[in-house]
Amino acid sequence: MKNSDVLPGGDQSALRHLNTSRVLQLLYEGPPLTTNAIAQVTALSRPTVRGIVTALVADGRLTLDGQDATRTGGRPAQRYAFDFDAGRLAGVHIDSHDISARITDLDGTVLAEGHRRTPADLDPDERLREAADLVREHLLADGPPLWAAGVGTPGIVDARGSVRLSVAIPRWSGLHLADRLNELLRCPVVAMKDTNLAVLAEHRTGAARGTPDVLYVHLDHRLGVGILVDGKPFTGRTGAAGEIGRHPGLGWADTPAKLVGGSDAAQSDPGRTGHLMFTRARHGDPVARATVDAYARAVADGIGAMVLAVDPQLIVLGGALAGAGPAVLEAVREQLTDICYEVPPLTLSALSASAVAVGGVEAARDLVRGRLFAAEQAAH
């Protein structure tokens, strides 16, 4: 028996949990391996590894993945892999006018997506039921269970997943969002401000892939900011980090309407209206040009304040108005040159309207990983 199979003090239950977590993490993050290969990497004995993988196959977390073709002579060794089809993850975006859901396997591979419009004045309880129904609608009744969900919504969301303040959604403030969806979906739920999930998504799979310090700016019928520091969403003490729209001197509350107008049609499709305004400005319309310049200046004032505070490596512009493409990039970049010591690179979102739901899946994956490997993390 190897030393790593023995825990001083005789706490064999804790040791089993620790060793199981080590094997799970190895196979979750790497390729399928044989018992011998797992033993070599983890420094566990082969009998210990055999007992662990047998138990994990029985409870559905590992699956058999063929045999090792490199062996010569004797019986081929069986390989084991983490079973990413054992459960499902959900990413949910609850906004004032609609709800979106993304269903994936445990590796983040998309299996289904759904969307439904909702009235702005919908009762909070009904809005929650609509979100839960949308998720369940895209889960197979006899399929794998939902392991975790990540939900994003506009407003200030604290570390417990409660909405401290939401201006965009009526009567949403004070809602224990994560707890309520946990009751409806019967799985662990993590809740964050929508722009923080969006910046996480851009970092993991989008325009900011691999960049650890990112500022995400949401350009839509409202303006918002998400901050990523060292690869993690930065929320601050209460969840209010990045809520610069609160500052009356910036005028962010009124800025979108000055570009797209305040009519119901413009608010329901700000991307199309804003794109037309940028197009008219590019073709020399003086009124459109003045409108675009004023919009870009107001946006840049807020971004510039954030850049001076957090010094990001990259700025990602997302939301419907980012559909104006390079025109919006250039307009904002031009205004930033008068504010920042050095303007960081700017780019457009690669995920568009799906960014928050994608980020929700990533947050759910992190939740699952944390629970699967909790014993090992605690040991270190």
Side-chain angles (χ1 to χ4, degrees):
M1 180 176 290
K2 297 186 180 181
N3 289 337
S4 55
D5 294 338
V6 179
L7 188 68
D11 190 352
Q12 296 305 304
S13 176
L15 178 62
R16 281 194 298 274
H17 285 300
L18 173 61
N19 290 340
T20 298
S21 291
R22 292 168 67 187
V23 172
L24 270 175
Q25 185 164 11
L26 176 66
L27 295 174
Y28 185 98
E29 297 175 347
L33 296 172
T34 63
T35 300
N36 283 348
I38 295 170
Q40 290 171 4
V41 174
T42 60
L44 297 172
S45 68
R46 284 190 293 275
T48 295
V49 171
R50 277 197 297 271
I52 290 172
V53 297
T54 298
L56 289 174
V57 169
D59 72 13
R61 283 181 284 178
L62 295 187
T63 185
L64 302 180
D65 191 69
Q67 297 175 330
D68 185 0
T70 63
R71 286 174 59 101
T72 56
R75 184 178 178 181
Q78 178 67 59
R79 295 184 305 184
Y80 297 88
F82 187 87
D83 188 359
F84 289 104
D85 198 47
R88 297 290 181 256
L89 302 174
V92 185
H93 183 191
I94 302 178
D95 210 340
S96 56
H97 293 84
D98 53 20
I99 301 170
S100 300
R102 184 181 183 94
I103 308 299
T104 75
D105 66 11
L106 299 177
D107 197 33
T109 301
V110 182
L111 302 173
E113 292 181 291
H115 175 268
R116 63 177 58 172
R117 297 286 294 176
T118 54
D121 60 352
L122 190 65
D123 178 78
D125 288 337
E126 183 60 28
R127 195 181 299 275
L128 287 169
R129 285 192 291 270
E130 290 277 354
D133 287 347
L134 183 62
V135 171
R136 288 191 289 258
E137 188 178 292
H138 290 83
L139 291 171
L140 296 177
D142 58 349
L146 190 62
W147 277 28
V151 55
T153 195
I156 299 173
V157 183
D158 66 20
R160 297 172 299 175
S162 295
V163 182
R164 292 174 59 90
L165 176 66
S166 180
V167 176
I169 302 179
R171 305 185 302 282
W172 207 234
S173 299
L175 180 76
H176 299 297
L177 180 57
D179 289 344
R180 294 292 302 280
L181 276 182
N182 169 267
E183 294 170 2
L184 291 169
L185 294 176
R186 300 187 180 279
C187 74
V189 176
V190 58
M192 292 188 197
K193 180 173 71 171
D194 52 3
T195 50
N196 279 341
L197 285 183
V199 75
L200 178 65
E202 296 290 350
H203 167 65
R204 295 276 177 85
T205 66
R209 187 175 302 188
T211 305
D213 300 311
V214 182
L215 187 68
Y216 175 90
V217 185
H218 182 76
L219 307 177
D220 211 307
H221 57 274
R222 58 182 173 81
L223 298 173
V225 171
I227 308 168
L228 193 82
V229 177
D230 291 334
K232 298 179 181 178
F234 180 76
T235 62
R237 178 176 58 87
T238 65
E243 290 295 305
I244 57 173
R246 172 76 174 180
H247 196 295
L250 292 174
W252 267 29
D254 303 322
T255 295
K258 290 178 180 178
L259 179 70
V260 304
S263 68
D264 290 342
Q267 290 298 307
S268 65
D269 193 0
R272 179 177 178 276
T273 310
H275 182 73
L276 287 173
M277 187 65 73
F278 272 93
T279 301
R280 287 166 51 196
R282 190 169 63 251
H283 286 84
D285 184 321
V287 174
R289 180 63 187 175
T291 301
V292 164
D293 286 347
Y295 174 81
R297 182 67 194 192
V299 170
D301 283 343
I303 294 176
M306 293 300 305
V307 169
L308 292 172
V310 301
D311 194 22
Q313 295 170 284
L314 180 68
I315 300 169
V316 178
L317 303 184
L321 290 172
V328 71
L329 279 180
E330 292 307 315
V332 173
R333 182 185 290 115
E334 181 180 343
Q335 298 291 344
L336 282 173
T337 57
D338 295 332
I339 302 171
C340 304
Y341 293 114
E342 183 177 338
V343 179
L346 278 79
T347 189
L348 297 171
S349 167
L351 302 171
S352 189
S354 65
V356 177
V358 173
V361 168
E362 290 301 318
R365 288 181 71 194
D366 289 345
L367 190 60
V368 166
R369 277 192 290 256
R371 292 184 174 225
L372 282 174
F373 314 142
E376 182 169 16
Q377 290 169 352
H380 289 283

